[in-house]
Short mmCIF file of all heavy atoms in Angstrom, two decimals:
data_model
loop_
_atom_site.label_atom_id
_atom_site.label_comp_id
_atom_site.label_asym_id
_atom_site.label_seq_id
_atom_site.Cartn_x
_atom_site.Cartn_y
_atom_site.Cartn_z
N ASN A 88 12.99 55.12 -13.20
CA ASN A 88 11.66 54.63 -12.83
C ASN A 88 11.12 53.70 -13.91
O ASN A 88 11.38 53.88 -15.09
CB ASN A 88 10.70 55.80 -12.64
CG ASN A 88 9.48 55.45 -11.81
OD1 ASN A 88 9.29 54.30 -11.44
ND2 ASN A 88 8.67 56.44 -11.52
N SER A 89 10.37 52.70 -13.48
CA SER A 89 9.69 51.78 -14.38
C SER A 89 8.83 50.88 -13.53
O SER A 89 8.75 51.05 -12.30
CB SER A 89 10.69 50.96 -15.21
OG SER A 89 10.01 50.13 -16.14
N GLY A 90 8.18 49.91 -14.15
CA GLY A 90 7.37 48.99 -13.38
C GLY A 90 6.90 47.82 -14.23
O GLY A 90 6.97 47.85 -15.46
N ILE A 91 6.45 46.78 -13.55
CA ILE A 91 5.83 45.62 -14.19
C ILE A 91 4.35 45.67 -13.84
O ILE A 91 3.99 45.71 -12.66
CB ILE A 91 6.45 44.31 -13.67
CG1 ILE A 91 7.97 44.29 -13.92
CG2 ILE A 91 5.78 43.10 -14.32
CD1 ILE A 91 8.69 43.18 -13.16
N PHE A 92 3.49 45.67 -14.85
CA PHE A 92 2.05 45.74 -14.63
C PHE A 92 1.46 44.33 -14.64
O PHE A 92 1.74 43.53 -15.52
CB PHE A 92 1.38 46.59 -15.70
CG PHE A 92 1.76 48.05 -15.66
CD1 PHE A 92 1.44 48.89 -16.71
CD2 PHE A 92 2.43 48.59 -14.57
CE1 PHE A 92 1.77 50.23 -16.69
CE2 PHE A 92 2.77 49.93 -14.53
CZ PHE A 92 2.43 50.75 -15.60
N LEU A 93 0.60 44.07 -13.66
CA LEU A 93 0.02 42.75 -13.46
C LEU A 93 -1.51 42.84 -13.41
O LEU A 93 -2.07 43.83 -12.93
CB LEU A 93 0.53 42.14 -12.16
CG LEU A 93 2.05 42.11 -11.99
CD1 LEU A 93 2.42 41.93 -10.53
CD2 LEU A 93 2.66 41.03 -12.85
N LEU A 94 -2.16 41.79 -13.87
CA LEU A 94 -3.62 41.69 -13.80
C LEU A 94 -4.29 42.96 -14.31
O LEU A 94 -5.20 43.51 -13.67
CB LEU A 94 -4.05 41.37 -12.37
CG LEU A 94 -3.58 40.00 -11.83
CD1 LEU A 94 -3.94 39.84 -10.36
CD2 LEU A 94 -4.15 38.86 -12.65
N ILE A 95 -3.82 43.43 -15.47
CA ILE A 95 -4.45 44.60 -16.10
C ILE A 95 -5.86 44.21 -16.54
O ILE A 95 -6.04 43.36 -17.41
CB ILE A 95 -3.64 45.09 -17.31
CG1 ILE A 95 -2.25 45.57 -16.86
CG2 ILE A 95 -4.38 46.19 -18.04
CD1 ILE A 95 -1.34 45.94 -18.02
N ALA A 96 -6.84 44.84 -15.92
CA ALA A 96 -8.23 44.57 -16.26
C ALA A 96 -8.67 45.40 -17.46
O ALA A 96 -9.49 44.95 -18.27
CB ALA A 96 -9.14 44.85 -15.07
N GLU A 97 -8.12 46.62 -17.55
CA GLU A 97 -8.50 47.53 -18.63
C GLU A 97 -7.32 48.43 -18.99
O GLU A 97 -6.89 49.24 -18.17
CB GLU A 97 -9.69 48.38 -18.23
CG GLU A 97 -10.18 49.31 -19.33
CD GLU A 97 -11.34 50.17 -18.90
OE1 GLU A 97 -11.78 50.04 -17.73
OE2 GLU A 97 -11.82 50.96 -19.71
N PRO A 98 -6.78 48.32 -20.20
CA PRO A 98 -5.72 49.23 -20.63
C PRO A 98 -6.29 50.65 -20.81
O PRO A 98 -7.34 50.83 -21.41
CB PRO A 98 -5.27 48.65 -21.98
CG PRO A 98 -5.76 47.24 -21.98
CD PRO A 98 -7.04 47.27 -21.19
N LYS A 99 -5.62 51.62 -20.24
CA LYS A 99 -6.01 53.02 -20.38
C LYS A 99 -4.76 53.85 -20.64
O LYS A 99 -3.64 53.38 -20.51
CB LYS A 99 -6.70 53.53 -19.09
CG LYS A 99 -7.99 52.81 -18.72
CD LYS A 99 -8.54 53.39 -17.43
CE LYS A 99 -9.82 52.70 -16.99
NZ LYS A 99 -10.35 53.26 -15.71
N ASN A 100 -4.97 55.10 -21.00
CA ASN A 100 -3.86 56.03 -21.24
C ASN A 100 -3.92 57.15 -20.20
O ASN A 100 -4.94 57.84 -20.09
CB ASN A 100 -3.99 56.62 -22.65
CG ASN A 100 -2.77 57.39 -23.09
OD1 ASN A 100 -2.09 57.98 -22.29
ND2 ASN A 100 -2.52 57.40 -24.39
N PRO A 101 -2.85 57.37 -19.40
CA PRO A 101 -1.53 56.74 -19.50
C PRO A 101 -1.31 55.56 -18.56
O PRO A 101 -0.29 54.90 -18.64
CB PRO A 101 -0.61 57.90 -19.10
CG PRO A 101 -1.38 58.64 -18.07
CD PRO A 101 -2.82 58.55 -18.51
N PHE A 102 -2.27 55.30 -17.63
CA PHE A 102 -2.11 54.19 -16.68
C PHE A 102 -3.30 53.24 -16.81
O PHE A 102 -4.44 53.69 -16.90
CB PHE A 102 -2.03 54.70 -15.24
CG PHE A 102 -0.86 55.60 -14.97
CD1 PHE A 102 -1.03 56.98 -14.90
CD2 PHE A 102 0.41 55.09 -14.78
CE1 PHE A 102 0.04 57.82 -14.65
CE2 PHE A 102 1.48 55.91 -14.53
CZ PHE A 102 1.31 57.28 -14.47
N PRO A 103 -3.06 51.93 -16.78
CA PRO A 103 -4.16 50.97 -16.87
C PRO A 103 -4.83 50.77 -15.52
O PRO A 103 -4.35 51.25 -14.50
CB PRO A 103 -3.44 49.69 -17.30
CG PRO A 103 -2.11 49.80 -16.59
CD PRO A 103 -1.75 51.26 -16.65
N ASN A 104 -5.94 50.06 -15.54
CA ASN A 104 -6.49 49.53 -14.30
C ASN A 104 -5.77 48.21 -14.04
O ASN A 104 -6.01 47.21 -14.72
CB ASN A 104 -8.00 49.31 -14.44
CG ASN A 104 -8.62 48.73 -13.18
OD1 ASN A 104 -8.22 47.68 -12.70
ND2 ASN A 104 -9.62 49.41 -12.66
N GLY A 105 -4.85 48.23 -13.10
CA GLY A 105 -4.05 47.05 -12.80
C GLY A 105 -3.10 47.32 -11.65
O GLY A 105 -3.07 48.43 -11.10
N ILE A 106 -2.34 46.32 -11.29
CA ILE A 106 -1.39 46.42 -10.18
C ILE A 106 0.02 46.56 -10.73
O ILE A 106 0.43 45.80 -11.60
CB ILE A 106 -1.47 45.18 -9.26
CG1 ILE A 106 -2.90 44.96 -8.77
CG2 ILE A 106 -0.50 45.31 -8.10
CD1 ILE A 106 -3.49 46.12 -7.98
N GLU A 107 0.76 47.53 -10.23
CA GLU A 107 2.15 47.70 -10.62
C GLU A 107 3.09 47.11 -9.58
O GLU A 107 2.96 47.42 -8.39
CB GLU A 107 2.49 49.18 -10.80
CG GLU A 107 3.97 49.42 -11.13
CD GLU A 107 4.32 50.88 -11.24
OE1 GLU A 107 3.43 51.74 -11.10
OE2 GLU A 107 5.52 51.19 -11.46
N CYS A 108 3.99 46.25 -10.03
CA CYS A 108 5.15 45.90 -9.20
C CYS A 108 6.19 46.96 -9.51
O CYS A 108 6.75 47.00 -10.61
CB CYS A 108 5.65 44.50 -9.54
SG CYS A 108 7.23 44.10 -8.73
N GLN A 109 6.45 47.80 -8.57
CA GLN A 109 7.33 48.93 -8.77
C GLN A 109 8.76 48.49 -9.06
O GLN A 109 9.29 47.58 -8.43
CB GLN A 109 7.31 49.81 -7.51
CG GLN A 109 8.16 51.04 -7.54
CD GLN A 109 7.64 52.08 -8.50
OE1 GLN A 109 8.02 52.08 -9.67
NE2 GLN A 109 6.76 52.94 -8.01
N LEU A 110 9.38 49.14 -10.05
CA LEU A 110 10.80 48.96 -10.31
C LEU A 110 11.58 50.24 -10.10
O LEU A 110 12.79 50.28 -10.37
CB LEU A 110 11.03 48.46 -11.75
CG LEU A 110 10.46 47.08 -12.10
CD1 LEU A 110 10.88 46.70 -13.52
CD2 LEU A 110 10.91 46.01 -11.11
N LYS A 111 10.93 51.29 -9.65
CA LYS A 111 11.63 52.54 -9.38
C LYS A 111 12.83 52.28 -8.49
O LYS A 111 12.75 51.54 -7.51
CB LYS A 111 10.68 53.53 -8.71
CG LYS A 111 11.32 54.88 -8.43
CD LYS A 111 10.31 55.82 -7.78
CE LYS A 111 10.94 57.18 -7.49
NZ LYS A 111 9.96 58.08 -6.83
N ALA A 112 13.96 52.88 -8.84
CA ALA A 112 15.21 52.61 -8.11
C ALA A 112 15.02 52.82 -6.61
O ALA A 112 14.54 53.87 -6.17
CB ALA A 112 16.32 53.53 -8.63
N GLY A 113 15.37 51.81 -5.83
CA GLY A 113 15.23 51.85 -4.39
C GLY A 113 13.90 51.33 -3.87
O GLY A 113 13.75 51.12 -2.67
N ASN A 114 12.95 51.11 -4.77
CA ASN A 114 11.61 50.68 -4.36
C ASN A 114 11.13 49.43 -5.07
O ASN A 114 9.92 49.13 -5.05
CB ASN A 114 10.60 51.81 -4.60
CG ASN A 114 10.90 53.06 -3.81
OD1 ASN A 114 11.51 53.99 -4.32
ND2 ASN A 114 10.50 53.08 -2.55
N ALA A 115 12.02 48.69 -5.71
CA ALA A 115 11.61 47.51 -6.46
C ALA A 115 10.92 46.51 -5.53
O ALA A 115 11.49 46.06 -4.54
CB ALA A 115 12.81 46.86 -7.14
N GLY A 116 9.67 46.19 -5.87
CA GLY A 116 8.89 45.26 -5.05
C GLY A 116 7.69 45.91 -4.40
O GLY A 116 6.79 45.21 -3.92
N ASP A 117 7.64 47.25 -4.35
CA ASP A 117 6.42 47.92 -3.88
C ASP A 117 5.26 47.58 -4.81
O ASP A 117 5.46 47.36 -6.01
CB ASP A 117 6.60 49.44 -3.89
CG ASP A 117 7.47 49.97 -2.76
OD1 ASP A 117 7.96 49.16 -1.95
OD2 ASP A 117 7.67 51.20 -2.71
N PHE A 118 4.05 47.57 -4.27
CA PHE A 118 2.84 47.49 -5.10
C PHE A 118 2.25 48.89 -5.23
O PHE A 118 2.10 49.61 -4.24
CB PHE A 118 1.79 46.58 -4.47
CG PHE A 118 2.12 45.11 -4.55
CD1 PHE A 118 1.97 44.29 -3.44
CD2 PHE A 118 2.56 44.53 -5.73
CE1 PHE A 118 2.24 42.94 -3.51
CE2 PHE A 118 2.84 43.18 -5.80
CZ PHE A 118 2.69 42.39 -4.69
N VAL A 119 1.88 49.26 -6.46
CA VAL A 119 1.19 50.51 -6.71
C VAL A 119 -0.16 50.17 -7.34
O VAL A 119 -0.21 49.43 -8.32
CB VAL A 119 2.00 51.44 -7.64
CG1 VAL A 119 1.28 52.78 -7.77
CG2 VAL A 119 3.41 51.65 -7.10
N LEU A 120 -1.24 50.71 -6.79
CA LEU A 120 -2.58 50.42 -7.26
C LEU A 120 -2.96 51.46 -8.31
O LEU A 120 -3.14 52.64 -8.00
CB LEU A 120 -3.58 50.44 -6.10
CG LEU A 120 -3.59 49.23 -5.15
CD1 LEU A 120 -2.23 48.96 -4.53
CD2 LEU A 120 -4.62 49.44 -4.05
N LEU A 121 -3.06 51.02 -9.56
CA LEU A 121 -3.27 51.94 -10.68
C LEU A 121 -4.71 51.92 -11.17
O LEU A 121 -5.37 50.88 -11.17
CB LEU A 121 -2.36 51.55 -11.85
CG LEU A 121 -0.85 51.51 -11.59
CD1 LEU A 121 -0.13 50.97 -12.81
CD2 LEU A 121 -0.32 52.89 -11.23
N GLY A 122 -5.18 53.08 -11.61
CA GLY A 122 -6.45 53.17 -12.34
C GLY A 122 -7.67 52.67 -11.62
O GLY A 122 -8.59 52.14 -12.24
#
Side-chain angles (χ1 to χ4, degrees):
N88 200 355
S89 183
I91 302 167
F92 293 168
L93 308 161
L94 296 175
I95 296 174
E97 182 181 0
K99 299 179 181 179
N100 190 329
F102 298 102
N104 179 304
I106 305 301
E107 176 183 358
C108 171
Q109 181 68 270
L110 296 184
K111 182 179 180 181
N114 298 97
D117 285 0
F118 287 134
V119 185
L120 284 56
L121 302 174

